Amino acid sequence: MFKRSVVLVVLLASAALAAEVVVFGDSWGALAGTQLQEMFTKRGVDIDVYNGAIGGTTARFWARDPDSLVDMVKENPDCKWVWLSIGGNDAIFELALGRPIETILEDAINNTRIFVDRLVEYDPTIQIVQFGYDIVNFEMSVGCRTAGKVLIPWCNTTACFNNEMFRLQYDYVEVRSPRAR
C-alpha cells in the first residue's frame, strides 16, 4: 500500500509540473520565456511555461537532434503551445562568413522543418508560434546598432520590424507545416 501511495504522489507531482507552454530555441526564447511566465503570474493567469531555450543555439544545432522539441513536449504532457525563437544566431554567424541572407534563411527554414515536422507528427494539435527578432531595438548598445545595420540594412530607424522573421513564420509555420497542408 505504501509503495502505491508513493507512486501516486510522484505521478501527481510530475503532472502538476507539466507546462502548457514550451519555449524552444535560442537566447531570445531563454530570456522571453522567463518574462512570459512572469507576465502570466502577475496577471493571475494559471498557465505554466517550461523554458527549454538555450542562448547561442541555431536551427542547425537543434536539427542535429530531430526529437529535441518532441522530447520537451513529452516532458510537459499538458503542452498546448510551443513558442519558437530560432534563426537569429544562424544569421549572425553565417553573415559573418559572407553567406547571402537568402541562403541562410533557406538553411534555417530547412533545419527548423526537421524538428518542427517531428513535433507536428507527434501532436498535430499543438499551436506553434514563431517569435524573436521581429522588432529590433538598435539603441540597446553599440553592438546592436552595428549588427542592426548589417543584418537589417533597410531599417534606418532605432526600432523597426524585421520582415524576414515574418517571412519565416508565414513560409514555414503557417504554410509549409504538415498541419497546414
Side-chain angles (χ1 to χ4, degrees), residues 102-117:
E102 294 78 17
T103 305
I104 295 167
L105 281 172
E106 184 178 335
D107 287 349
I109 290 170
N110 288 334
N111 284 318
T112 301
R113 181 175 288 128
I114 291 170
F115 52 85
V116 171
D117 279 352

Side-chain angles (χ1 to χ4, degrees), residues 68-139:
S68 53
L69 179 53
V70 170
D71 291 343
M72 285 185 201
V73 169
K74 284 180 178 179
E75 291 171 13
N76 295 280
D78 294 337
C79 181
K80 296 179 183 115
W81 302 280
V82 168
W83 201 354
L84 180 65
S85 173
I86 202 77
N89 292 322
D90 297 81
I92 290 168
F93 300 144
E94 298 289 329
L95 282 170
L97 297 174
R99 290 188 70 208
I101 190 67
E102 294 78 17
T103 305
I104 295 167
L105 281 172
E106 184 178 335
D107 287 349
I109 290 170
N110 288 334
N111 284 318
T112 301
R113 181 175 288 128
I114 291 170
F115 52 85
V116 171
D117 279 352
R118 289 277 180 99
L119 175 64
V120 174
E121 288 169 13
Y122 170 73
D123 185 348
T125 67
I126 286 183
Q127 299 295 305
I128 303 166
V129 178
Q130 165 74 31
F131 88 108
Y133 313 105
D134 55 344
I135 301 174
V136 181
N137 179 2
F138 293 140
E139 291 303 306

